[in-house]
Amino acid sequence: MEFNWTYQEQTPLLVRTFLKHQGISKKLLAKIKFQGGKILVNRAEQNVLFSLKAHDIVTVVIPDEAPHETLLADDVPIDIVFEDEHLLVINKPAGIASIPAQYHPRGTMANRVKAYYVAQGYANQVVHVVTRLDRDTSGLMLFAKHGFAHSKLDQSLQQKQFVKKYQALVSGEVASLRDHGTISLPIGRDLSSLLKRQVIETGQKAETEYWLEKRNQRCALVDIQLHTGRTHQIRVHFSAIDCPLLGDDLYGGAMDQGIDRQALHCYSLSFPHPFDAKRLSFELPLAEDMADIAKKR
């Protein structure tokens, strides 16, 4: 894969420094050097110590990524929301994990995406997961189609340039929910469980903003934006204010409302494209099982 930039400044600059500014890490530079890539200036091959002058054209050829043989391919269709040569956005169904685990090597979205890459004959077949969802959370997931894109998207995540929004159905003390509110409670591990998290004074800062969409006596539909990214954050926070998610038996959610998974759906994802900085925004309708409950009065 080839990338091109024009150096616009008048002051000379080392190629190494210029490429760092473009988001190319030391690890990726090593891969370019030792695995068949190239660095060109005005179409002539150069090393990273070459000094650039104004209007030089810098080209980087990044070698293709061979697939990880340990990631098995599951030939199951995926619901593609968006795709270009750098990105893949999919709609993940509930009940499917994002990535394999030691004793569960297949049956995940990563396995399905691997099979899709193989079927398409893509040169880069390493699966790069950028945004994960819990097994029983449905909605938008983002994959990078090569390592350079993954690196730049991770930088955007660290700079808080991503906006992820969720919809949830919550139960319990729904009458106490305001039209708009923020839950700011620290989250840490629950030492009684390998999986569970809890609100605890010694935990990490966590902030969840919500807007009330509708409610009845049994449940409420809320629109949610995370301002931090703690494990199980939405589930823990709403449980802590006595409004656990429907179907979330781990955190005390009602299990008699016609849904047996946490009623949580990532419906909106927005972020800058890693190579042209154009802001991309994607939205999905509410998942069908949640929509059926939300329609009831």
Side-chain angles (χ1 to χ4, degrees):
M1 184 168 286
E2 183 175 299
F3 297 88
N4 296 280
W5 302 274
T6 300
Y7 182 57
Q8 303 284 7
E9 305 298 325
Q10 297 298 321
T11 305
L13 187 71
L14 293 181
V15 166
R16 179 175 59 197
T17 306
F18 177 78
L19 293 180
K20 182 180 179 181
H21 292 164
Q22 309 312 314
I24 293 184
S25 64
K26 290 182 180 179
K27 183 178 178 181
L28 184 52
L29 273 179
K31 181 178 179 181
I32 293 166
K33 181 176 180 180
F34 298 111
Q35 297 183 27
K38 291 181 180 180
I39 297 172
L40 310 173
V41 178
N42 303 323
R43 304 312 299 182
E45 192 161 357
Q46 303 290 352
N47 64 33
V48 294
L49 299 180
F50 183 83
S51 184
L52 297 173
K53 59 183 185 300
H55 310 302
D56 278 347
I57 298 173
V58 181
T59 300
V60 171
V61 179
I62 298 176
D64 295 334
E65 299 174 332
H68 289 153
E69 297 303 326
T70 54
L71 179 61
L72 305 174
D74 285 348
D75 191 12
V76 180
I78 56 176
D79 182 1
I80 297 174
V81 176
F82 172 83
E83 182 177 15
D84 67 10
E85 62 180 323
H86 308 293
L87 310 174
L88 178 69
V89 180
I90 59 117
N91 179 14
K92 185 186 90 66
I96 307 295
S98 293
I99 60 173
Q102 182 177 358
Y103 298 110
H104 301 281
R106 61 192 326 152
T108 74
M109 293 313 304
N111 300 113
R112 295 183 182 188
V113 169
K114 167 73 174 291
Y116 173 72
Y117 287 177
V118 171
Q120 298 300 309
Y122 290 153
N124 292 300
Q125 294 190 1
V126 174
V127 176
H128 296 273
V129 181
V130 181
T131 62
R132 302 182 190 181
L133 295 175
D134 288 347
R135 174 187 295 273
D136 288 330
T137 300
S138 55
L140 292 163
M141 265 187 79
L142 171 62
F143 294 80
K145 291 173 70 176
H146 54 84
F148 187 23
H150 194 179
S151 175
K152 289 180 73 68
L153 288 165
D154 277 347
Q155 291 173 19
S156 293
L157 278 167
Q158 292 166 11
Q159 294 165 5
K160 300 187 181 301
Q161 295 177 335
F162 273 62
V163 177
K164 289 176 71 176
K165 292 185 178 180
Y166 296 79
Q167 289 173 310
L169 289 168
V170 302
S171 56
E173 301 297 323
V174 295
S176 67
L177 292 172
R178 302 195 299 270
D179 289 342
H180 173 237
T182 299
I183 307 169
S184 297
L185 296 168
I187 293 175
R189 286 187 174 274
D190 184 332
L191 298 181
S192 68
S193 169
L194 293 175
L195 180 64
K196 198 173 180 182
R197 301 298 193 270
Q198 65 178 337
V199 167
I200 185 170
E201 192 173 322
T202 56
Q204 293 179 295
K205 176 183 176 182
E207 186 173 297
T208 303
E209 189 175 9
Y210 73 85
W211 294 262
L212 178 64
E213 295 288 325
K214 61 185 293 189
R215 67 179 153 202
N216 56 35
Q217 291 182 342
R218 295 182 300 174
C219 68
L221 176 65
V222 288
D223 194 339
I224 299 164
Q225 182 175 340
L226 294 179
H227 295 292
T228 53
R230 310 306 175 204
T231 300
H232 296 178
Q233 180 173 320
I234 292 171
R235 301 164 66 188
V236 173
H237 270 175
F238 278 92
S239 179
I241 64 168
D242 298 319
C243 293
L245 273 61
L246 288 183
D248 190 359
D249 57 347
L250 184 64
Y251 291 105
M255 301 300 293
D256 60 352
Q257 300 298 313
I259 189 167
D260 59 2
R261 58 104 171 181
Q262 68 248 16
L264 185 60
H265 181 67
C266 181
Y267 79 93
S268 177
L269 180 62
S270 176
F271 57 93
H273 193 283
F275 297 108
D276 64 16
K278 177 182 177 183
R279 191 148 194 99
L280 301 175
S281 297
F282 307 100
E283 287 199 2
L284 293 173
L286 189 61
E288 187 174 350
D289 57 350
M290 292 175 61
D292 288 342
I293 295 172
K295 290 174 186 174
K296 297 176 181 178
R297 295 187 177 275

